[in-house]
């Protein structure tokens, strides 16, 4: 059932088998499997996550290369609702461990917000990350190209940049090292710091040794048309022609709601998990970009399958077996 402010009170007394924080590829995959295992789940989705911004899923098996991420999410949402899952647009503010259950506090509505609390036996953290983009006075200028030929993931889109003139937009000196992996796909790399990064002499020399220009003048705007970026204009009025770009400015992890769970083991901002996506807390799972590993849609989908299956196994093992009672009547002990 799709929950809203108007009907969510119907589910406040319900104990879900699992609450899934995040309705991206990993969260929706987990919900599909949980419902097909005969379990109950609630997906809480804040909206406009990383996969929503994917304009074309060119590396996902079984879909036309031009399929946008939002189509994948739309079909996934329809699928879980058809299986009987609950789905709520909201922002999870806190997960509190109550012993045998979790209390999940959700902010619903940007205006006149309400803060319902739902309960579950398990929690699947699938809230993902969002990439930091170059900050310009006119951010719409950035959004016009981000996810098209201004990429944020080299693993996903390195092929799309093959042998093209590529701008590498970095947020730290360490991120400049991305150039020395990106050169597998193209050697025509220009590094842009947007005037916000201190670059040491050793890194400058390394860039010179590879022939990669370093541009430290802040960017005024991206140039292009019809979502195709063709270069940048700097604040001094000069321009640099490009065919494509890669943003390497780090990411924000949507994991704040878990910081109150002291037993969780972290590696930086990533949750440490076992091979079934179980964290150091036995009833909290992490899938997709929140756990260690590759940030790929295909990985997130597989993670959702693993987490849901592990939860089903846990619940099945402690449940009474179902018997064909009619055939037991009058049976000899």
């Amino acid at each position: 059932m799709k929950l809203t402010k108007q009907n969510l009170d119907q589910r406040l007394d319900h104990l879900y088998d699992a609450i899934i924080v995040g309705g991206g590829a990993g969260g929706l995959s987990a919900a599909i499997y949980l419902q097909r295992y005969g379990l109950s789940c609630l997906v809480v989705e804040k909206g406009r996550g990383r996969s929503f911004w994917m304009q074309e899923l060119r590396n996902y098996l079984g879909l036309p290369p031009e399929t946008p991420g939002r189509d994948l999410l739309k079909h996934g949402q329809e699928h879980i609702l058809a299986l009987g899952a609950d789905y709520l647009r909201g922002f999870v503010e806190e997960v509190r461990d109550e012993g045998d259950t979790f209390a999940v506090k959700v902010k619903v509505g940007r205006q006149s917000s309400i803060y319902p609390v739902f309960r579950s036996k398990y929690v699947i953290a699938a809230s993902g990350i969002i990439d930091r983009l170059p900050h310009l006075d006119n951010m719409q200028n950035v959004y016009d190209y981000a996810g098209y030929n201004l990429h944020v993931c080299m693993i996903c889109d390195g092929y799309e940049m093959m042998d093209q003139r590529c701008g590498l937009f970095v947020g730290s000196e360490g991120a400049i090292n991305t150039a020395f992996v990106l050169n597998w796909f193209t050697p025509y790399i220009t590094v842009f710091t947007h005037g916000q990064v201190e670059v040491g002499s050793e890194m400058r020399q390394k860039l010179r040794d590879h022939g990669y220009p370093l541009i430290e003048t802040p960017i005024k705007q991206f140039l292009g048309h019809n979502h195709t970026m063709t270069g940048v204009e700097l604040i001094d009025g000069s321009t640099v022609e490009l065919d494509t770009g890669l943003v390497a400015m780090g990411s924000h992890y949507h994991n704040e709601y878990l910081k109150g769970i002291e037993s969780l083991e972290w590696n930086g901002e990533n949750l440490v998990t076992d091979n079934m996506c179980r964290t150091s807390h036995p009833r909290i799972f992490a899938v997709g970009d929140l756990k260690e590993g590759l940030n790929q849609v295909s990985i997130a989908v597989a993670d959702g399958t693993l987490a849901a299956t592990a939860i089903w196994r846990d619940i099945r093992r402690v449940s009474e077996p179902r018997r064909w009672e009619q055939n037991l009547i009058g049976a000899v002990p």
Side-chain angles (χ1 to χ4, degrees), residues 18 44 63 69 102 144 155 164 176 196 216 228 230 263 276 323:
V44 183
L63 293 178
F102 293 103
D144 284 343
I155 301 299
Q164 297 186 43
I176 297 175
Q196 298 177 347
E216 299 176 90
T228 300
T230 59
S263 61
M276 294 299 286
R323 294 177 171 85

Side-chain angles (χ1 to χ4, degrees), residues 205-276:
Q205 185 59 51
K206 190 174 182 180
L207 289 170
R208 285 194 292 268
D209 291 343
H210 286 74
Y212 304 156
L214 173 65
I215 296 181
E216 299 176 90
T217 305
I219 297 166
K220 179 180 179 181
Q221 63 176 337
F222 287 93
L223 304 175
H225 57 278
N226 295 331
H227 300 299
T228 300
M229 187 265 297
T230 59
V232 296
E233 179 184 357
L234 306 175
I235 60 170
D236 62 9
S238 62
T239 61
V240 180
E241 292 185 1
L242 299 169
D243 303 308
T244 188
L246 177 65
V247 178
M249 303 185 72
S251 305
H252 173 74
Y253 288 72
H254 295 294
N255 57 20
E256 298 87 352
Y257 57 93
L258 291 172
K259 292 300 177 73
I261 308 290
E262 295 181 358
S263 61
L264 290 175
E265 182 181 352
W266 300 83
N267 182 7
E269 291 295 299
N270 289 113
L271 284 158
V272 177
T273 63
D274 67 9
N275 61 359
M276 294 299 286

Side-chain angles (χ1 to χ4, degrees), residues 33-50:
Y33 273 83
L34 286 167
Q35 293 296 135
R36 288 175 61 86
Y37 284 133
L39 303 175
S40 65
C41 72
L42 165 65
V43 175
V44 183
E45 164 60 10
K46 67 183 183 313
R48 303 178 76 82
R50 198 185 198 206

Side-chain angles (χ1 to χ4, degrees), residues 28-92:
L28 292 172
S29 172
I32 289 170
Y33 273 83
L34 286 167
Q35 293 296 135
R36 288 175 61 86
Y37 284 133
L39 303 175
S40 65
C41 72
L42 165 65
V43 175
V44 183
E45 164 60 10
K46 67 183 183 313
R48 303 178 76 82
R50 198 185 198 206
S51 51
F52 177 85
W53 293 102
M54 295 178 184
Q55 307 302 332
E56 295 178 324
L57 292 171
R58 292 188 170 272
N59 58 348
Y60 194 89
L61 179 66
L63 293 178
E66 297 80 14
T67 303
R70 66 181 71 90
D71 282 5
L72 183 75
L73 301 182
K74 178 178 180 290
H75 294 316
Q77 291 164 17
E78 292 171 350
H79 193 170
I80 68 167
L81 289 170
L83 290 169
D86 286 344
Y87 181 92
L88 173 65
R89 288 296 293 267
F91 183 85
V92 173

Side-chain angles (χ1 to χ4, degrees), residues 13 69 104 129 136 236 269 303 322-323:
D13 293 331
V104 179
I129 64 177
L136 305 183
D236 62 9
E269 291 295 299
D303 286 346
R322 300 176 70 189
R323 294 177 171 85

Side-chain angles (χ1 to χ4, degrees), residues 53-327:
W53 293 102
M54 295 178 184
Q55 307 302 332
E56 295 178 324
L57 292 171
R58 292 188 170 272
N59 58 348
Y60 194 89
L61 179 66
L63 293 178
E66 297 80 14
T67 303
R70 66 181 71 90
D71 282 5
L72 183 75
L73 301 182
K74 178 178 180 290
H75 294 316
Q77 291 164 17
E78 292 171 350
H79 193 170
I80 68 167
L81 289 170
L83 290 169
D86 286 344
Y87 181 92
L88 173 65
R89 288 296 293 267
F91 183 85
V92 173
E93 293 204 330
E94 180 187 17
V95 171
R96 187 171 68 254
D97 188 354
E98 297 182 322
D100 293 333
T101 61
F102 293 103
V104 179
K105 179 182 177 182
V106 183
K107 177 182 177 181
V108 180
R110 293 185 178 181
Q111 297 179 343
S112 302
S113 303
I114 60 174
Y115 296 85
V117 175
F118 300 90
R119 284 178 167 79
S120 64
K121 302 173 187 176
Y122 289 82
V123 166
I124 298 178
S127 42
I129 64 177
I130 195 70
D131 302 280
R132 296 188 176 97
L133 299 173
H135 184 75
L136 305 183
D137 290 340
N138 176 17
M139 285 304 296
Q140 184 57 50
N141 173 252
V142 183
Y143 302 145
D144 284 343
Y145 307 108
Y148 292 93
N149 70 332
L150 180 59
H151 305 284
V152 295
C153 175
M154 179 170 53
I155 301 299
C156 306
D157 299 325
Y159 178 84
E160 313 302 331
M161 298 179 271
M162 192 74 72
D163 292 329
Q164 297 186 43
R165 295 173 299 177
C166 182
L168 176 62
F169 304 92
V170 301
S172 67
E173 184 182 48
I176 297 175
N177 285 305
T178 305
F180 310 113
V181 182
L182 178 61
N183 61 13
W184 172 266
F185 299 101
T186 180
Y188 312 120
I189 300 168
T190 301
V191 177
F192 295 82
T193 69
H194 198 34
Q196 298 177 347
V197 177
E198 291 290 334
V199 183
S201 58
E202 184 176 344
M203 181 61 75
R204 290 176 184 275
Q205 185 59 51
K206 190 174 182 180
L207 289 170
R208 285 194 292 268
D209 291 343
H210 286 74
Y212 304 156
L214 173 65
I215 296 181
E216 299 176 90
T217 305
I219 297 166
K220 179 180 179 181
Q221 63 176 337
F222 287 93
L223 304 175
H225 57 278
N226 295 331
H227 300 299
T228 300
M229 187 265 297
T230 59
V232 296
E233 179 184 357
L234 306 175
I235 60 170
D236 62 9
S238 62
T239 61
V240 180
E241 292 185 1
L242 299 169
D243 303 308
T244 188
L246 177 65
V247 178
M249 303 185 72
S251 305
H252 173 74
Y253 288 72
H254 295 294
N255 57 20
E256 298 87 352
Y257 57 93
L258 291 172
K259 292 300 177 73
I261 308 290
E262 295 181 358
S263 61
L264 290 175
E265 182 181 352
W266 300 83
N267 182 7
E269 291 295 299
N270 289 113
L271 284 158
V272 177
T273 63
D274 67 9
N275 61 359
M276 294 299 286
C277 300
R278 195 189 304 264
T279 69
S280 52
H281 189 299
R283 290 181 294 108
I284 297 178
F285 290 75
V287 305
D289 299 346
L290 284 191
K291 59 181 273 292
E292 296 175 296
L294 288 177
N295 297 343
Q296 299 288 295
V297 172
S298 55
I299 300 296
V301 170
D303 286 346
T305 305
L306 291 170
T309 301
I311 290 171
W312 170 64
R313 287 174 177 173
D314 283 357
I315 294 174
R316 175 176 57 84
R317 286 165 181 160
V318 299
S319 299
E320 286 292 323
R322 300 176 70 189
R323 294 177 171 85
W324 193 347
E325 298 291 346
Q326 186 178 15
N327 288 341

